[in-house]
mmCIF file of all heavy atoms in Angstrom:
data_model
loop_
_atom_site.group_PDB
_atom_site.id
_atom_site.type_symbol
_atom_site.label_atom_id
_atom_site.label_comp_id
_atom_site.label_asym_id
_atom_site.label_seq_id
_atom_site.Cartn_x
_atom_site.Cartn_y
_atom_site.Cartn_z
ATOM 1 N N SER B 67 2.095 -10.288 -9.802
ATOM 2 C CA SER B 67 2.378 -9.348 -10.895
ATOM 3 C C SER B 67 3.847 -8.941 -11.026
ATOM 4 O O SER B 67 4.361 -8.861 -12.142
ATOM 5 C CB SER B 67 1.490 -8.101 -10.802
ATOM 6 O OG SER B 67 1.762 -7.380 -9.621
ATOM 7 N N ALA B 68 4.537 -8.706 -9.921
ATOM 8 C CA ALA B 68 5.944 -8.300 -10.010
ATOM 9 C C ALA B 68 6.795 -9.424 -10.598
ATOM 10 O O ALA B 68 7.750 -9.186 -11.345
ATOM 11 C CB ALA B 68 6.484 -7.897 -8.635
ATOM 12 N N ILE B 69 6.421 -10.663 -10.268
ATOM 13 C CA ILE B 69 7.136 -11.832 -10.783
ATOM 14 C C ILE B 69 6.817 -12.008 -12.265
ATOM 15 O O ILE B 69 7.709 -12.305 -13.072
ATOM 16 C CB ILE B 69 6.772 -13.090 -9.952
ATOM 17 C CG1 ILE B 69 7.295 -12.930 -8.513
ATOM 18 C CG2 ILE B 69 7.319 -14.356 -10.587
ATOM 19 C CD1 ILE B 69 6.863 -14.020 -7.541
ATOM 20 N N ILE B 70 5.549 -11.794 -12.639
ATOM 21 C CA ILE B 70 5.153 -11.895 -14.043
ATOM 22 C C ILE B 70 5.895 -10.858 -14.885
ATOM 23 O O ILE B 70 6.379 -11.151 -15.982
ATOM 24 C CB ILE B 70 3.622 -11.711 -14.219
ATOM 25 C CG1 ILE B 70 2.839 -12.765 -13.431
ATOM 26 C CG2 ILE B 70 3.252 -11.779 -15.701
ATOM 27 C CD1 ILE B 70 1.336 -12.518 -13.399
ATOM 28 N N LEU B 71 6.009 -9.632 -14.369
ATOM 29 C CA LEU B 71 6.714 -8.571 -15.110
ATOM 30 C C LEU B 71 8.156 -8.978 -15.416
ATOM 31 O O LEU B 71 8.646 -8.790 -16.537
ATOM 32 C CB LEU B 71 6.732 -7.262 -14.315
ATOM 33 C CG LEU B 71 5.446 -6.458 -14.249
ATOM 34 C CD1 LEU B 71 5.664 -5.178 -13.425
ATOM 35 C CD2 LEU B 71 4.939 -6.096 -15.641
ATOM 36 N N GLN B 72 8.833 -9.524 -14.405
ATOM 37 C CA GLN B 72 10.224 -9.941 -14.627
ATOM 38 C C GLN B 72 10.298 -11.089 -15.621
ATOM 39 O O GLN B 72 11.202 -11.147 -16.465
ATOM 40 C CB GLN B 72 10.886 -10.330 -13.301
ATOM 41 C CG GLN B 72 11.087 -9.125 -12.396
ATOM 42 C CD GLN B 72 11.828 -9.470 -11.125
ATOM 43 O OE1 GLN B 72 13.051 -9.551 -11.099
ATOM 44 N NE2 GLN B 72 11.107 -9.677 -10.049
ATOM 45 N N TYR B 73 9.337 -11.987 -15.530
ATOM 46 C CA TYR B 73 9.270 -13.120 -16.468
ATOM 47 C C TYR B 73 9.117 -12.607 -17.905
ATOM 48 O O TYR B 73 9.854 -13.022 -18.811
ATOM 49 C CB TYR B 73 8.104 -14.030 -16.086
ATOM 50 C CG TYR B 73 7.896 -15.188 -17.039
ATOM 51 C CD1 TYR B 73 8.679 -16.333 -16.939
ATOM 52 C CD2 TYR B 73 6.931 -15.130 -18.050
ATOM 53 C CE1 TYR B 73 8.506 -17.400 -17.816
ATOM 54 C CE2 TYR B 73 6.753 -16.183 -18.926
ATOM 55 C CZ TYR B 73 7.537 -17.318 -18.804
ATOM 56 O OH TYR B 73 7.358 -18.364 -19.675
ATOM 57 N N ILE B 74 8.180 -11.699 -18.107
ATOM 58 C CA ILE B 74 7.942 -11.129 -19.443
ATOM 59 C C ILE B 74 9.222 -10.473 -19.965
ATOM 60 O O ILE B 74 9.616 -10.668 -21.118
ATOM 61 C CB ILE B 74 6.775 -10.114 -19.404
ATOM 62 C CG1 ILE B 74 5.441 -10.829 -19.184
ATOM 63 C CG2 ILE B 74 6.726 -9.285 -20.692
ATOM 64 C CD1 ILE B 74 4.257 -9.903 -18.902
ATOM 65 N N ASP B 75 9.879 -9.709 -19.093
ATOM 66 C CA ASP B 75 11.107 -9.001 -19.497
ATOM 67 C C ASP B 75 12.218 -9.984 -19.855
ATOM 68 O O ASP B 75 13.033 -9.704 -20.742
ATOM 69 C CB ASP B 75 11.568 -8.078 -18.364
ATOM 70 C CG ASP B 75 12.389 -6.906 -18.859
ATOM 71 O OD1 ASP B 75 12.085 -6.373 -19.953
ATOM 72 O OD2 ASP B 75 13.342 -6.514 -18.158
ATOM 73 N N GLU B 76 12.249 -11.145 -19.178
ATOM 74 C CA GLU B 76 13.306 -12.132 -19.426
ATOM 75 C C GLU B 76 13.021 -12.983 -20.664
ATOM 76 O O GLU B 76 13.935 -13.339 -21.394
ATOM 77 C CB GLU B 76 13.478 -13.032 -18.184
ATOM 78 C CG GLU B 76 14.128 -12.299 -17.010
ATOM 79 C CD GLU B 76 14.127 -13.106 -15.708
ATOM 80 O OE1 GLU B 76 13.883 -14.328 -15.757
ATOM 81 O OE2 GLU B 76 14.363 -12.494 -14.638
ATOM 82 N N VAL B 77 11.751 -13.327 -20.873
ATOM 83 C CA VAL B 77 11.411 -14.175 -22.022
ATOM 84 C C VAL B 77 11.432 -13.369 -23.324
ATOM 85 O O VAL B 77 12.024 -13.773 -24.318
ATOM 86 C CB VAL B 77 10.024 -14.838 -21.825
ATOM 87 C CG1 VAL B 77 9.573 -15.548 -23.093
ATOM 88 C CG2 VAL B 77 10.077 -15.826 -20.665
ATOM 89 N N TRP B 78 10.743 -12.223 -23.295
ATOM 90 C CA TRP B 78 10.723 -11.357 -24.476
ATOM 91 C C TRP B 78 11.756 -10.266 -24.245
ATOM 92 O O TRP B 78 11.424 -9.113 -23.902
ATOM 93 C CB TRP B 78 9.309 -10.796 -24.690
ATOM 94 C CG TRP B 78 8.342 -11.873 -25.090
ATOM 95 C CD1 TRP B 78 8.156 -12.394 -26.342
ATOM 96 C CD2 TRP B 78 7.431 -12.583 -24.239
ATOM 97 N NE1 TRP B 78 7.187 -13.372 -26.322
ATOM 98 C CE2 TRP B 78 6.721 -13.517 -25.048
ATOM 99 C CE3 TRP B 78 7.126 -12.529 -22.872
ATOM 100 C CZ2 TRP B 78 5.750 -14.378 -24.537
ATOM 101 C CZ3 TRP B 78 6.150 -13.386 -22.348
ATOM 102 C CH2 TRP B 78 5.476 -14.301 -23.174
ATOM 103 N N ASN B 79 13.019 -10.661 -24.355
ATOM 104 C CA ASN B 79 14.083 -9.771 -23.908
ATOM 105 C C ASN B 79 14.544 -8.760 -24.951
ATOM 106 O O ASN B 79 15.646 -8.233 -24.886
ATOM 107 C CB ASN B 79 15.265 -10.567 -23.349
ATOM 108 C CG ASN B 79 15.803 -11.553 -24.375
ATOM 109 O OD1 ASN B 79 15.405 -11.548 -25.540
ATOM 110 N ND2 ASN B 79 16.727 -12.389 -23.957
ATOM 111 N N HIS B 80 13.663 -8.466 -25.915
ATOM 112 C CA HIS B 80 13.964 -7.400 -26.868
ATOM 113 C C HIS B 80 13.528 -6.069 -26.238
ATOM 114 O O HIS B 80 12.898 -6.058 -25.178
ATOM 115 C CB HIS B 80 13.200 -7.640 -28.179
ATOM 116 C CG HIS B 80 11.730 -7.864 -27.982
ATOM 117 N ND1 HIS B 80 11.168 -9.113 -27.982
ATOM 118 C CD2 HIS B 80 10.706 -6.992 -27.781
ATOM 119 C CE1 HIS B 80 9.858 -9.010 -27.797
ATOM 120 N NE2 HIS B 80 9.554 -7.724 -27.671
ATOM 121 N N ASN B 81 13.842 -4.970 -26.925
ATOM 122 C CA ASN B 81 13.444 -3.645 -26.416
ATOM 123 C C ASN B 81 11.934 -3.450 -26.487
ATOM 124 O O ASN B 81 11.299 -3.973 -27.401
ATOM 125 C CB ASN B 81 14.143 -2.548 -27.240
ATOM 126 C CG ASN B 81 15.601 -2.399 -26.807
ATOM 127 O OD1 ASN B 81 15.981 -2.777 -25.706
ATOM 128 N ND2 ASN B 81 16.415 -1.857 -27.699
ATOM 129 N N PRO B 82 11.368 -2.652 -25.595
ATOM 130 C CA PRO B 82 12.065 -1.975 -24.498
ATOM 131 C C PRO B 82 12.370 -2.910 -23.320
ATOM 132 O O PRO B 82 11.539 -3.724 -22.954
ATOM 133 C CB PRO B 82 11.051 -0.903 -24.070
ATOM 134 C CG PRO B 82 9.718 -1.491 -24.406
ATOM 135 C CD PRO B 82 9.918 -2.358 -25.620
ATOM 136 N N GLN B 83 13.565 -2.759 -22.745
ATOM 137 C CA GLN B 83 13.909 -3.509 -21.545
ATOM 138 C C GLN B 83 13.234 -2.811 -20.379
ATOM 139 O O GLN B 83 13.387 -1.591 -20.218
ATOM 140 C CB GLN B 83 15.431 -3.485 -21.311
ATOM 141 C CG GLN B 83 16.200 -4.367 -22.236
ATOM 142 C CD GLN B 83 16.113 -5.866 -21.890
ATOM 143 O OE1 GLN B 83 16.925 -6.629 -22.311
ATOM 144 N NE2 GLN B 83 15.140 -6.297 -21.131
ATOM 145 N N LEU B 84 12.518 -3.573 -19.580
ATOM 146 C CA LEU B 84 11.822 -2.954 -18.454
ATOM 147 C C LEU B 84 12.728 -2.842 -17.237
ATOM 148 O O LEU B 84 12.729 -1.836 -16.527
ATOM 149 C CB LEU B 84 10.559 -3.742 -18.109
ATOM 150 C CG LEU B 84 9.513 -3.802 -19.230
ATOM 151 C CD1 LEU B 84 8.346 -4.683 -18.845
ATOM 152 C CD2 LEU B 84 9.030 -2.395 -19.591
ATOM 153 N N MET B 85 13.520 -3.899 -16.998
ATOM 154 C CA MET B 85 14.442 -3.873 -15.857
ATOM 155 C C MET B 85 15.761 -3.239 -16.304
ATOM 156 O O MET B 85 16.224 -3.479 -17.413
ATOM 157 C CB MET B 85 14.720 -5.288 -15.365
ATOM 158 C CG MET B 85 13.608 -5.873 -14.522
ATOM 159 S SD MET B 85 13.582 -5.124 -12.878
ATOM 160 C CE MET B 85 14.744 -6.179 -12.019
ATOM 161 N N PRO B 86 16.378 -2.440 -15.405
ATOM 162 C CA PRO B 86 17.705 -1.922 -15.763
ATOM 163 C C PRO B 86 18.714 -3.064 -15.837
ATOM 164 O O PRO B 86 18.436 -4.169 -15.366
ATOM 165 C CB PRO B 86 18.038 -0.981 -14.592
ATOM 166 C CG PRO B 86 17.033 -1.215 -13.537
ATOM 167 C CD PRO B 86 15.945 -2.078 -14.060
ATOM 168 N N SER B 87 19.875 -2.800 -16.428
ATOM 169 C CA SER B 87 20.856 -3.880 -16.531
ATOM 170 C C SER B 87 21.838 -3.902 -15.359
ATOM 171 O O SER B 87 22.361 -4.948 -15.018
ATOM 172 C CB SER B 87 21.620 -3.801 -17.859
ATOM 173 O OG SER B 87 22.000 -2.466 -18.090
ATOM 174 N N ASP B 88 22.036 -2.767 -14.698
ATOM 175 C CA ASP B 88 22.961 -2.712 -13.570
ATOM 176 C C ASP B 88 22.345 -3.372 -12.332
ATOM 177 O O ASP B 88 21.206 -3.044 -11.967
ATOM 178 C CB ASP B 88 23.305 -1.247 -13.257
ATOM 179 C CG ASP B 88 24.098 -1.101 -11.977
ATOM 180 O OD1 ASP B 88 25.271 -1.521 -11.976
ATOM 181 O OD2 ASP B 88 23.542 -0.609 -10.977
ATOM 182 N N PRO B 89 23.080 -4.294 -11.652
ATOM 183 C CA PRO B 89 22.515 -4.993 -10.496
ATOM 184 C C PRO B 89 22.018 -4.072 -9.383
ATOM 185 O O PRO B 89 20.986 -4.353 -8.773
ATOM 186 C CB PRO B 89 23.677 -5.871 -10.005
ATOM 187 C CG PRO B 89 24.498 -6.116 -11.210
ATOM 188 C CD PRO B 89 24.420 -4.852 -12.006
ATOM 189 N N TYR B 90 22.721 -2.975 -9.109
ATOM 190 C CA TYR B 90 22.265 -2.071 -8.045
ATOM 191 C C TYR B 90 20.952 -1.395 -8.439
ATOM 192 O O TYR B 90 20.020 -1.308 -7.639
ATOM 193 C CB TYR B 90 23.328 -1.022 -7.696
ATOM 194 C CG TYR B 90 22.897 -0.188 -6.518
ATOM 195 C CD1 TYR B 90 22.945 -0.710 -5.226
ATOM 196 C CD2 TYR B 90 22.376 1.104 -6.689
ATOM 197 C CE1 TYR B 90 22.508 0.030 -4.137
ATOM 198 C CE2 TYR B 90 21.939 1.846 -5.607
ATOM 199 C CZ TYR B 90 22.003 1.302 -4.332
ATOM 200 O OH TYR B 90 21.547 2.034 -3.255
#
Side-chain angles (χ1 to χ4, degrees):
Chain B
S67 64
I69 294 173
I70 301 172
L71 285 181
Q72 292 184 82
Y73 177 81
I74 290 170
D75 206 37
E76 289 172 15
V77 171
W78 292 278
N79 57 8
H80 52 260
N81 282 338
Q83 285 284 199
L84 298 176
M85 282 286 273
S87 45
D88 172 70
Y90 185 75

